[in-house]
Amino acid sequence: MARKFFVGGNFKMNGSISSITEIVDNLNKAQLDSNVETVIAPPAVYLLLVREKSKKEIGVAAQNVFDKPNGAFTGEISVQHLKDSGIDWAILGHSERRTILGESDEVVASKTKYATENGVSVIWCCGESLEQREAGQTLDVIASQLAALKAKISDWSKIVIAYEPIWAIGTGKVATTEQAQEVHASIRQWLAKNVSQSVADETRILYGGSVSEKNCKELSKQPDIDGFLVGGASLKPAFVDIINCKL
């Protein structure tokens, strides 16, 4: 079965009611490729706004979710909150949360387990720093992140993997098409060897790292790149061009 192309837009800690409404209106009016699954992730305070204003074909994701049921966890958002609000996706393990907020591989895996077991699909992020890449450790780092995830979960059907080289996020630097394809292929090989061939064949692996309307077409042609997790460009009208890059 062919893997459905997937484009996620991570708004990060950006936007206002006005600007996000404009983004959603633009997506609603656009002729989006029906063969692409589109999911956007606004800041938490705008999740309901975006869900209510977006056409049903557009998925909405939280940028984080906790690994416990409702309770005394000040500042956190629960899976139940998301489901009650019609939010079906969450981004977990983004490098900004791993590096700035100190989330370990195990914490990310625990959150992913709880979300997927309770009805929320996950865009699970992995990637290496510039130092790790220059030291030739890229594949080892990602294998370690994947192993932590495998230790906690058995059902991969609700997980989309996003490879994000940390050195290419928001820097304007982009992994070359060959570099991106090499890592994506190695992730798929790891899944085949350590999980199953069917999970390797069916799991979508996205590229994220300064994706723009200028580089998306070439990246999208690679056999193991199944879509994108887009940062800054998702706040711009050109996000539509990225969603439609296969047309």
Side-chain angles (χ1 to χ4, degrees):
M1 187 180 74
R3 297 183 295 270
K4 187 171 186 177
F5 206 76
F6 185 109
V7 177
N10 179 13
F11 296 1
K12 306 191 181 185
M13 199 173 73
N14 292 302
S16 62
I17 290 174
S18 170
S19 68
I20 287 175
T21 298
E22 188 177 338
I23 291 167
V24 171
D25 286 346
N26 188 46
L27 291 172
N28 285 342
K29 290 173 190 164
Q31 288 289 319
L32 301 181
D33 185 346
S34 60
N35 294 314
V36 173
E37 185 168 3
T38 302
V39 176
I40 52 177
V45 293
Y46 302 128
L47 282 168
L48 264 178
L49 171 80
V50 169
R51 182 62 283 164
E52 288 168 357
K53 287 188 176 293
S54 299
K55 56 188 177 186
K56 68 181 188 303
E57 295 84 1
I58 296 173
V60 181
Q63 296 178 17
N64 182 38
V65 68
F66 203 50
D67 60 353
K68 300 284 191 300
N70 292 345
F73 305 105
T74 302
E76 292 295 335
I77 297 172
S78 74
V79 168
Q80 289 81 357
H81 292 155
L82 297 184
K83 292 177 70 178
D84 190 38
S85 302
I87 310 302
D88 299 324
W89 286 89
I91 298 173
L92 291 171
H94 193 281
S95 64
E96 287 153 6
R97 295 200 64 85
R98 290 179 186 266
T99 56
I100 299 168
L101 294 157
E103 292 189 2
S104 66
D105 293 347
E106 290 70 28
V107 165
V108 173
S110 179
K111 288 181 171 185
T112 304
K113 172 184 168 68
Y114 191 84
T116 55
E117 288 182 353
N118 288 281
V120 170
S121 298
V122 170
I123 300 168
W124 177 87
C125 305
C126 61
E128 84 284 11
S129 67
L130 184 60
E131 294 77 21
Q132 289 164 334
R133 171 162 280 277
E134 289 179 342
Q137 298 170 343
T138 296
L139 303 185
D140 292 338
V141 168
I142 292 167
S144 175
Q145 292 168 333
L146 284 162
L149 182 61
K150 178 180 179 282
K152 289 272 172 59
I153 67 161
S154 54
D155 180 6
W156 292 75
S157 65
K158 287 183 172 293
I159 294 173
V160 173
I161 294 173
Y163 165 58
E164 298 196 302
I166 298 169
W167 48 273
I169 297 174
T171 61
K173 292 181 179 176
V174 184
T176 65
T177 304
E178 294 74 22
Q179 285 173 323
Q181 166 58 24
E182 178 193 21
V183 176
H184 282 235
S186 76
I187 292 171
R188 208 172 299 287
Q189 288 160 8
W190 189 96
L191 291 172
K193 180 180 177 184
N194 295 282
V195 184
S196 74
Q197 187 62 54
S198 63
V199 166
D201 291 340
E202 293 165 13
T203 299
R204 290 174 289 183
I205 306 173
L206 317 180
Y207 174 74
S210 296
V211 176
S212 72
E213 71 280 12
K214 295 182 179 70
N215 57 32
C216 60
K217 276 195 181 295
E218 191 60 35
L219 287 162
S220 74
K221 293 174 185 172
Q222 303 310 303
D224 291 297
I225 295 180
D226 304 312
F228 305 114
L229 182 57
V230 184
S234 67
L235 301 166
K236 301 170 183 173
F239 185 47
V240 170
D241 299 325
I242 299 173
I243 295 168
N244 289 339
C245 68
K246 302 283 273 186
L247 294 177

